[in-house]
Amino acid sequence: MTSSTSRPVIEDPSWVLNPITEISKEVRHALILSSDGMVIGASEGLLRDTAEGISAMTAALHGAARAAANAALDAPDGSPVTTVTVQNAYGTYMIMPAGVRTNTFIAVSGGPDMPMGTVAHIMARQAKKLGEQLMSVPARAQGGSAS
């Protein structure tokens, strides 16, 4: 199966992203992306080119974090990582999977005063809702309709 056969389609991502971006003025933007770095949805105001670059780098970051954590923790290679958080002087960037087996993530960036606990809680709630939605809708079939 190629990634194009399993990539979900979310016509309006605002139902997932708005509850996260509206938490605090410190939340800069949010993305829904596939594990191969393709943008599935982006918060309002995030330019498409910027979102695509961030999504590609986020997929690489998540994969590297999973490999490093599994090696450091002596975990099996396929062990999932639930959250990756990166902080620097300019703020915080968090990545969280949207359910199990969806190959979809939510990523959020915010300023240094972003309320991380609150944002992580809402992200987890929205990720769960998104994962449930994605698992209830069959993936697009390649080359035509599924029978």
Side-chain angles (χ1 to χ4, degrees), residues 15-71:
W15 69 270
V16 177
L17 301 178
N18 285 356
I20 300 167
T21 58
E22 294 170 354
I23 294 169
S24 164
K25 65 181 180 179
E26 286 288 313
V27 176
R28 293 181 185 150
H29 56 74
L31 286 170
I32 303 169
L33 62 133
S34 65
S35 61
D36 61 357
M38 302 303 292
V39 175
I40 296 171
S43 59
E44 194 172 318
L46 187 58
L47 299 175
R48 184 71 185 189
D49 287 346
T50 303
E52 288 175 354
I54 292 170
S55 291
M57 291 181 278
T58 298
L61 172 64
H62 187 271
R66 184 180 63 219
N70 288 343

Side-chain angles (χ1 to χ4, degrees), residues 5 8 23-24 37 47 53 61 63 70 75 81-82 84 96 102 104 106 119 124 138 142 147:
T5 63
I23 294 169
S24 164
L47 299 175
L61 172 64
N70 288 343
V81 170
T82 56
V84 175
M96 188 177 291
T102 64
T104 305
I106 295 176
V119 172
Q142 187 174 12
S147 48

